[in-house]
Amino acid sequence: MPQKRFSGYLIGAFIILLGLYVIVAYNSLVRKEEKMEQTWADVQNTYQRRLDLTPNLVNTVKGMASFEQETLVQVAEARSNALSASGAGLSADSYNRQTGLQDTLAAASNRLIAVIEKYPVLRGTEAYRGLQVQLEGNERRIKVARADFNAAVRDYNEAARSFPKSLVAKMFGFEVKEGFKAVEGAQNNVDIKF
């Protein structure tokens, strides 16, 4: 009789410990998923900052010199396309699409800046220099935000894939996520240059 009672206690203790582990593992996965979503929001925020700075650049240039209209139209279209993709959900397709559109916007801005090089008076204005500093800083912020997002995705994926936490992840539908991946031509990084 005492042996049955002892084994009953062991089984009960095992069930309680297992239940506690499931709770702790679940909460850990939730925290990591929330961190990942927060870092994605930070990427979105830096993209939005780029979108907000671009019209200032275009307006500064429009007011100071007469440029080929095509360059300004390309920047406006790239900004509009990037703006249409902002705020999309957290999925590999969403952030890969946004990355492509944001890179197109950066490339169009680069073309505009290349045209500006022909106008030394414009390059010397206070408004242009201020925008130059803000745009360069924002490009660095985007790189950092993307790196932070990839780190959060890696941390989440390691937790969701490692045993025995992977059992809890599968039980509650925590799926492995995708971070930023290099696309063809990524070795030719798109930076806004002045």
Side-chain angles (χ1 to χ4, degrees):
M1 188 85 161
Q3 188 175 7
K4 286 184 180 182
R5 184 177 283 182
F6 179 72
S7 62
Y9 288 141
L10 279 178
I11 291 171
F14 176 76
I15 290 173
I16 290 172
L17 287 175
L18 182 63
L20 288 174
Y21 176 78
V22 168
I23 291 169
V24 169
Y26 176 84
N27 288 336
S28 170
L29 287 165
V30 167
R31 278 191 303 279
K32 290 177 187 306
E33 188 174 52
E34 288 297 319
K35 173 71 174 169
M36 185 180 53
E37 289 176 4
Q38 177 58 48
T39 57
W40 175 242
D42 292 344
V43 171
Q44 296 265 27
N45 187 31
T46 57
Y47 282 167
Q48 184 61 49
R49 190 168 190 276
R50 181 194 275 163
L51 291 171
D52 293 344
L53 289 172
T54 302
N56 294 338
L57 176 63
V58 170
N59 289 333
T60 299
V61 170
K62 267 189 199 176
M64 296 297 291
S66 58
F67 288 107
E68 24 174 296
Q69 193 64 21
E70 182 181 336
T71 304
L72 294 174
V73 168
Q74 287 174 348
V75 171
E77 286 176 357
R79 181 184 183 277
S80 176
N81 290 338
L83 186 59
S84 71
S86 66
L90 179 63
S91 71
D93 290 338
S94 169
Y95 55 73
N96 287 333
R97 181 171 181 257
Q98 282 190 4
T99 298
L101 291 172
Q102 286 288 334
D103 289 347
T104 300
L105 175 58
S109 296
N110 276 340
R111 283 190 296 277
L112 177 60
I113 290 165
V115 172
I116 291 170
E117 294 298 317
K118 299 176 187 173
Y119 296 88
V121 171
L122 176 60
R123 285 191 334 236
T125 65
E126 190 65 36
Y128 180 74
R129 283 195 309 262
L131 278 171
Q132 178 182 0
V133 168
Q134 288 184 45
L135 285 167
E136 287 172 346
N138 198 63
E139 292 308 307
R140 284 188 293 278
R141 284 184 183 106
I142 288 172
K143 287 178 184 177
V144 169
R146 285 178 177 178
D148 290 347
F149 176 69
N150 276 346
V153 169
R154 185 194 70 245
D155 188 42
Y156 168 82
N157 284 342
E158 284 175 358
R161 293 181 60 214
S162 63
F163 184 81
K165 203 177 276 187
S166 62
L167 299 174
V168 176
K170 287 179 185 172
M171 188 183 332
F172 290 103
F174 289 96
E175 296 178 7
V176 173
K177 306 292 184 185
E178 216 178 289
F180 285 107
K181 291 187 178 181
V183 294
E184 190 174 324
Q187 67 275 12
N188 307 322
N189 194 17
V190 177
D191 284 326
I192 293 183
K193 297 184 183 351
F194 291 91

